[in-house]
Every structure is written in C-alpha cells, then in structure tokens.
C-alpha cells in the first residue's frame, strides 16, 4: 500500500513538474564587469595579447625546501589509511620526493612546451595557453575548443589530452576533426589575476572567457569542462548560445529534489522511471552512493563556501599543508575506494611529478586563497538562488559519464537541463579529473560528440 501511495505521489509531482518547467529558451544577460583594484579607469582597456613564460628562481626553490624541512609530523591512527584524510605516513614519502627528487626547473620547461599568453579583460590579467595544430590536412579547418579546469586543478590538467586533439594522426586517431585548443586559468587560479572585488562568480568568468575567445578571433567555438569548468561552460552556453557550436561536459550540476525522490523507489521501479541498469549500479544503494558519499567528500566545500580566507591563510603559508589538502582530493575523487589504501592510490593513476606540478601552480602563485573564494562567490548565497541554476541550456550538448565521478548523473537527469543532449556516454573507467586521468577516453568522446554536431 505504501509503495502505491509513494508512486502515485511521485507521478503526480512529475506531472506538475513537467507543466511548470517546460522548455523556455532564455538567455542570461551579458552585462559587464570590472574586477581590478580601485575604480574603473576612463581609458579604454588594453586589449593586446602578450606572450607569457613560466619562470622560477633559486630563492623560490630554496624557500620551498626550507619550509618542507620545518614540517611538524603527526603520526596517523593505526589502520586509518585515508579515512581520516591524507595519511601522514604516506605524506612523508611525498615530501621526501618533493624535497630531494622533484625537479621544478624541469617541470617549468615542460609547462612552457605550449605557448602561454596574458590579456587584460574586465580589469584582470587573464592567463591562457593557446595550442594550434602542428599541421592541418588540405581542406580541413581546425575547430576552436575552449577547455576549462576546476578546483583543485589547473590548466596543466589538459597537457596530456591536448596532443590527442591538436595532432590526432601522431597518436593513432583520425584527422577528420582537428582542434585548436585554448585553456585559460580561472581568475584567481594560477597565473590569472585574482579579483579585487566581491562577486566574481561562474557567470562573470563565463563572460570573461567569451570575451577572450572573441579577442582571439573566434565567433563560434566548442567548449568543454568538468568541475567548475562544467558550470562556467554551461553559463557560456546560457549567455551566448549563438556563439557556442557545442558544449561537452564530464560533470554536471543538475540535481533536483524530485529526481532524488525517484531513487527511493529503488531497482524495482527504476526501469519504469527511465533509469538504465548501469545508472542503478552507479546510484544504488542511494544512501551509500549519494548521501553518505556526498557528506564524506563535501566538508571542504562548506568551509570554502563560507569562510575561505581562514583555512586559506594556513594553506598559503605551508606547502606541506597545501599538498595534503589538495592531493587528498586526487585520491578519493579519482576513486572513492582509494580511501581504503595506505597511499590513497595516488600513484595508480598519476605520477608524483604530475601531482606536485599542479601543487606548485598553487604554491608559487600564492593562489590558494583566491581559488577557494570562487566557492564563496558561487555558493555563499545558497543553492538554486541564481537564475542560471533554474535555466535550461539550448545548445548541442555531449556528456561523458565517468564511473568514479563524485556523483553519477543519468541521461534522464541531463536531459532535464540540457534538452539538446546529442551524446551521452558511459565511460569505461575514470573519475573526477578526466582529462588528467583518462585523456584518451575523454578525447575520443569529445571527437565523437563534435562529429555528431558537424553532421547536423
């Protein structure tokens, strides 16, 4: 009896939900902003694009080493593995490598293998890399693709996927679709200047990146993102849909109370509600795979969405604390089962050189505080309070569902926000940091999606 009552209630709510949320092709107002220090100058903004180079110094490296040497160690609880956070016994190994074997100068050379630039937009110096194909077949035009990172990542996450997109033939892929890749740093991350004013959120960032693409001469382009990048790219599609040829995501924020309620009906009625067997494998039991998982992995989010500067002061002063705080995410966000391992499984998917290079982009730029403020700007007023959160997206969309992402998003949920979903793929493996962890899988899915858009 109770099951029938619950089902009737859910179906009744579904009818109401359908009538009240029917497709409305809205766009966000483009507006404008100024995020630099002081008042906006009366003179026109310098729109030049300036070459930039990553650099380091002996003083920078010596200071890092001295701080690592002064680390005060706290022993972990017996058998705690990664259940209490970053295991401090394994941290000793990471620090030994960082202090004695990690070659930052060599990694700086690696970072500079792609062309870096800066340009001033809305009062901020915006950093980006711009990688063009080494050769383009006759009769083929490279497709501009903007790729946006998240937290605690950086533009460096895309270094392994870029050659698969710009030079596919050299990596055993078809030359049918070749890309010109632009990877900017979110304002306040890495080499992009941080805002001096409150309010720089994902919509403002989307507008800044749209202006960047126009400044580079691109009127229509593809966009791709995960984590914050997925929201920024979604906002770009909501701001300027006529300029976005296609939107590809490997994470999406589409959770609704009604959708969560349908999961309470479990496997028994999941098929009738539009869920596949694979969806149910990744979502059920909901208590463990959604509720407990989100509580376990979202403590940092509450801190950063409320008082980011407090913890930021500690992290900006201690490279060891910064590394533990960030690298823990590269453990359990890559695979939640890694919390059962003494080393957090970090070196199963990444090298220490790769992980520490990303850490150094936060450490050497002193950008951890400003990167965390992005949570406050986007979530500090609450959830579902911004217009874009209630709007749908009306551009061709592709989605790559990686099985170890923090939360699985079924195709059914995706279509509720992205009605023009052309491609939905259950990926063979991988987690939150898709481009960094599974570059080939992600590149293949991007290429598949773009091929579908181009055929339309």
């Amino acid at each position: 009896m109770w099951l029938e009552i619950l089902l009737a209630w859910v179906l009744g709510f579904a009818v109401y939900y359908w009538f009240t949320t029917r497709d409305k092709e809205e766009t966000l107002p483009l507006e404008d902003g100024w995020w630099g220090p002081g008042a906006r100058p009366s003179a026109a903004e310098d729109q030049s694009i300036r070459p930039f180079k990553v650099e380091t110094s002996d003083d920078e490296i010596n200071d890092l080493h001295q701080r690592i040497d002064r680390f005060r160690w706290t022993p972990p609880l017996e058998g705690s593995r990664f259940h209490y956070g970053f295991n401090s016994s394994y941290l000793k190994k990471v620090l030994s490598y960082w202090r004695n074997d990690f070659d930052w100068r060599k990694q700086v050379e690696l970072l500079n293998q792609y062309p870096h630039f800066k340009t001033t937009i809305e009062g901020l110096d915006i950093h980006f890399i711009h990688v063009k194909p080494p050769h383009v077949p006759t009769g083929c035009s490279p497709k501009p693709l903007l790729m946006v990172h998240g937290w605690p990542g950086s533009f460096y996450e895309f270094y392994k996927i870029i050659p698969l997109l710009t030079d596919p033939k050299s990596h055993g892929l078809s030359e049918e679709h070749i890309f010109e890749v632009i990877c900017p740093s979110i304002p306040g991350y890495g080499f992009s200047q941080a805002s001096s004013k409150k309010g720089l959120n994902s919509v403002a960032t989307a507008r800044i990146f749209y202006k960047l693409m126009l400044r580079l001469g691109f009127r229509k382009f593809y966009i791709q993102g995960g984590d914050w990048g997925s929201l920024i790219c979604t906002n770009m599609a909501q701001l300027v849909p006529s300029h976005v040829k296609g939107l590809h995501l490997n994470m999406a924020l589409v959770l609704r109370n009604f959708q969560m309620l349908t999961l309470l009906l479990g496997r028994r009625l999941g098929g009738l509600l539009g869920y596949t067997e694979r969806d149910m494998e990744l979502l059920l039991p909901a208590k463990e795979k959604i509720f407990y998982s989100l509580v376990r992995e979202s403590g940092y989010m509450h801190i950063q969405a409320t008082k980011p500067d407090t913890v930021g002061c500690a992290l900006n002063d201690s490279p060891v604390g910064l590394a533990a705080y960030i690298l823990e995410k590269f453990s359990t966000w890559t695979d939640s089962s890694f919390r059962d391992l003494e080393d957090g499984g970090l070196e199963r998917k990444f090298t220490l050189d790769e992980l520490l290079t990303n850490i150094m982009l936060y450490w050497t730029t002193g950008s951890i505080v400003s990167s965390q403020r992005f949570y406050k700007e986007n979530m500090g007023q609450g959830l579902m309070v911004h217009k874009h959160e209630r709007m749908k997206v009306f551009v061709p969309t592709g989605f790559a569902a990686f099985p170890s992402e923090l939360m699985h998003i079924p195709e059914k949920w995706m279509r509720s926000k992205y009605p023009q979903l052309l491609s939905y793929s259950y990926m063979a493996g991988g987690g939150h940091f898709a481009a960094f962890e599974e570059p080939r899988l992600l590149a293949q899915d991007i290429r598949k999606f773009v091929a579908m858009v181009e055929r339309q």
Side-chain angles (χ1 to χ4, degrees):
M1 174 183 174
W2 288 110
L3 181 61
E4 286 79 1
I5 292 173
L6 178 61
L7 180 59
W9 185 88
V10 168
L11 291 176
F13 189 84
V15 173
Y16 167 79
Y17 184 82
W18 184 82
F19 276 108
T20 57
T21 60
R22 296 169 75 179
D23 292 355
K24 300 175 183 177
E25 293 204 26
E26 299 177 272
T27 58
L28 288 173
L30 193 57
E31 299 179 341
D32 199 5
W34 172 263
W35 309 102
R40 185 171 196 159
S42 57
E45 192 165 71
D46 176 12
Q47 297 193 8
S48 63
I49 295 173
R50 309 177 298 277
F52 173 78
K53 189 175 182 181
V54 184
E55 296 179 337
T56 189
S57 66
D58 289 340
D59 287 346
E60 184 175 73
I61 295 170
N62 290 337
D63 175 69
L64 171 69
H65 289 171
Q66 289 168 14
R67 290 171 185 262
I68 293 175
D69 289 341
R70 293 197 297 269
F71 166 55
R72 294 192 300 174
W73 184 68
T74 301
L77 294 173
E78 295 176 4
S80 60
R81 293 161 290 180
F82 263 59
H83 286 270
Y84 281 68
F86 204 98
N87 185 285
S88 56
S89 292
Y90 177 64
L91 183 60
K92 279 186 172 181
K93 176 188 174 182
V94 174
L95 297 181
S96 175
Y97 184 85
W98 198 5
R99 174 65 175 83
N100 302 308
D101 300 298
F102 179 72
D103 188 343
W104 176 230
R105 292 188 183 279
K106 178 181 176 182
Q107 296 306 110
V108 165
E109 290 179 11
L110 182 144
L111 290 172
N112 285 322
Q113 73 178 347
Y114 295 132
H116 293 247
F117 302 91
K118 283 190 175 185
T119 189
T120 305
I121 304 176
E122 298 191 10
L124 300 178
D125 282 346
I126 301 300
H127 162 263
F128 63 99
I129 57 174
H130 185 177
V131 187
K132 299 180 180 181
H135 59 86
V136 179
T138 304
C140 177
S141 297
K143 299 170 178 63
L145 172 64
L146 179 80
M147 304 189 78
V148 185
H149 67 89
W151 187 93
S154 63
F155 66 91
Y156 176 60
E157 288 181 69
F158 300 115
Y159 268 49
K160 291 187 284 188
I161 196 173
I162 286 172
L164 303 178
L165 298 168
T166 59
D167 189 16
K169 186 176 181 181
S170 297
H171 298 85
L173 299 171
S174 165
E175 286 187 309
E176 181 183 2
H177 301 291
I178 296 179
F179 298 89
E180 185 170 339
V181 178
I182 301 92
C183 302
S185 296
I186 297 171
Y189 286 68
F191 301 112
S192 277
Q193 184 180 351
S195 174
S196 294
K197 296 175 173 59
K198 295 185 292 184
L200 194 149
N201 58 16
S202 62
V203 175
T205 304
R207 183 180 63 238
I208 288 171
F209 289 170
Y210 164 62
K211 291 180 179 180
L212 170 64
M213 294 301 279
L214 293 183
R215 194 167 294 183
L216 292 173
F218 302 119
R219 301 294 166 182
K220 291 184 75 72
F221 43 84
Y222 289 94
I223 53 180
Q224 199 284 329
D227 197 87
W228 282 128
S230 71
L231 182 57
I232 293 166
C233 289
T234 291
N235 292 158
M236 288 184 73
Q238 293 168 324
L239 284 166
V240 288
S242 62
H243 293 266
V244 177
K245 290 191 71 174
L247 165 68
H248 186 278
L249 305 173
N250 55 274
M251 179 181 171
L253 304 172
V254 298
L255 206 56
R256 299 290 186 273
N257 290 335
F258 166 68
Q259 293 165 338
M260 295 292 289
L261 283 171
T262 63
L263 292 176
L264 298 177
L265 299 175
R267 291 181 181 274
R268 197 169 152 193
L269 295 171
L272 294 175
L273 294 169
Y275 297 113
T276 66
E277 281 296 324
R278 184 59 172 149
D279 290 333
M280 290 187 281
E281 286 174 12
L282 295 170
L283 287 170
L284 300 177
K287 184 167 68 173
E288 168 58 32
K289 293 189 177 180
I290 298 178
F291 301 112
Y292 289 172
S293 177
L294 290 178
V295 169
R296 188 167 50 234
E297 294 299 332
S298 62
Y300 80 99
M301 185 186 297
H302 186 73
I303 293 173
Q304 293 174 193
T306 53
K307 299 180 180 179
D309 287 25
T310 304
V311 68
C313 289
L315 299 176
N316 198 45
D317 190 59
S318 169
V320 178
L322 179 69
Y325 192 75
I326 288 179
L327 291 183
E328 180 231 304
K329 309 307 179 194
F330 281 87
S331 166
T332 50
W333 291 6
T334 298
D335 190 322
S336 62
S337 69
F338 285 175
R339 68 183 184 275
D340 295 325
L341 304 174
E342 294 291 340
D343 63 357
L346 278 171
E347 295 174 75
R348 294 190 176 194
K349 295 288 188 173
F350 314 106
T351 68
L352 287 180
D353 279 343
E354 290 171 342
L355 293 168
L356 291 170
T357 296
N358 183 63
I359 299 297
M360 290 294 283
L361 290 173
Y362 283 87
W363 175 253
T364 59
T365 59
S367 59
I368 186 61
V369 177
S370 51
S371 75
Q372 292 177 153
R373 288 174 182 160
F374 205 62
Y375 284 81
K376 175 76 168 179
E377 304 298 3
N378 285 290
M379 305 172 72
Q381 298 174 37
L383 299 176
M384 300 305 293
V385 298
H386 302 289
K387 181 179 180 180
H388 70 83
E389 294 174 302
R390 302 184 297 274
M391 286 175 55
K392 298 189 177 186
V393 178
F394 293 94
V395 302
T397 304
F399 187 73
F402 285 86
S404 295
E405 180 55 275
L406 288 168
M407 182 173 173
H408 173 65
I409 304 297
E411 181 177 350
K412 171 187 173 68
W413 295 6
M414 280 296 296
R415 289 194 184 279
S416 70
K417 186 172 181 70
Y418 303 88
Q420 294 188 28
L421 185 71
L422 295 185
S423 170
Y424 181 97
S425 305
Y426 293 100
M427 307 305 287
H432 186 70
F433 304 98
F436 205 31
E437 180 190 350
E438 297 287 354
R440 194 172 187 90
L441 286 180
L442 183 59
Q444 289 172 332
D445 200 68
I446 293 170
R447 289 165 55 82
K448 180 184 80 171
F449 164 66
V450 168
M452 295 175 72
V453 176
E454 296 291 319
R455 284 198 298 267
Q456 282 192 325

